[in-house]
Amino acid sequence: MNKDRYVFPAIFDYADDGITVTFPDLPGAITCGDTDNEALSMSKECLALHLYGMERDDEEIPKPTSARNVASEENQVVVLIEVWMPPFRNEMANKAVKKTLTIPKWLDDLAAEQNVNYSHILQDALKTHLGVSDRRKSPR
């Protein structure tokens, strides 16, 4: 079951060229930043995106390790990162994706004369065809 709020420990690894952030419980969730604020912001986005991908792939999300049980080295700090998923899920569901389409040249010429916005026309036609409204979330 997906949760709305997740808190995972992250390791902020300080080096001369910036801060690398990893999540011990989530292999592959890695980001970085030049400052503490940037690393914190990037870590929240990284965590939300990684968890969103796991949710979409129906992968089991592991129980977070307690921060006090995360081993760190001298140049590292353990930071708890919290993400609130509902607005992130909504943003991802409404994210625009680029599609390529083919239409006859005469139709393209006529549409150009009328200053047709292809994106709006296609969105409206798809919504009508599928019987959905503007605020519908992703079908998954």
Side-chain angles (χ1 to χ4, degrees):
M1 180 172 107
N2 297 333
K3 298 181 349 183
D4 286 341
R5 177 181 174 264
Y6 292 99
V7 179
F8 276 86
I11 297 175
F12 282 43
D13 188 334
Y14 291 82
D16 292 338
D17 62 345
I19 306 163
T20 301
V21 181
T22 57
F23 293 86
D25 298 311
L26 303 167
I30 301 170
T31 191
C32 60
D34 291 329
T35 65
D36 283 330
N37 283 340
E38 185 178 24
L40 181 61
S41 175
M42 295 298 289
S43 66
K44 288 182 179 188
E45 183 177 337
C46 176
L47 180 59
L49 186 59
H50 194 85
L51 294 172
Y52 177 78
M54 291 179 76
E55 290 175 352
R56 295 286 292 185
D57 293 341
D58 292 323
E59 293 180 31
E60 185 176 338
I61 295 174
K63 182 179 182 216
T65 301
S66 173
R68 68 175 169 251
N69 295 332
V70 175
S72 62
E73 297 176 13
E74 189 174 319
N75 61 325
Q76 298 176 336
V77 175
V78 177
V79 178
L80 289 175
I81 304 300
E82 177 183 25
V83 291
W84 180 246
M85 295 299 290
F88 187 81
R89 289 181 191 121
N90 190 43
E91 178 184 334
M92 295 303 290
N94 290 306
K95 183 178 178 182
V97 293
K98 188 172 179 83
K99 294 291 181 187
T100 303
L101 61 102
T102 305
I103 61 172
K105 181 171 179 359
W106 67 266
L107 190 55
D108 183 50
D109 292 342
L110 186 59
E113 289 174 16
Q114 300 287 322
N115 294 317
V116 170
N117 181 318
Y118 287 102
S119 293
H120 289 160
I121 295 292
L122 180 57
Q123 287 179 46
D124 289 344
L126 284 170
K127 288 173 192 171
T128 299
H129 180 77
L130 298 171
V132 296
S133 65
D134 286 339
R135 305 304 279 173
R136 178 149 193 238
K137 293 185 178 185
S138 174
R140 246 188 190 250

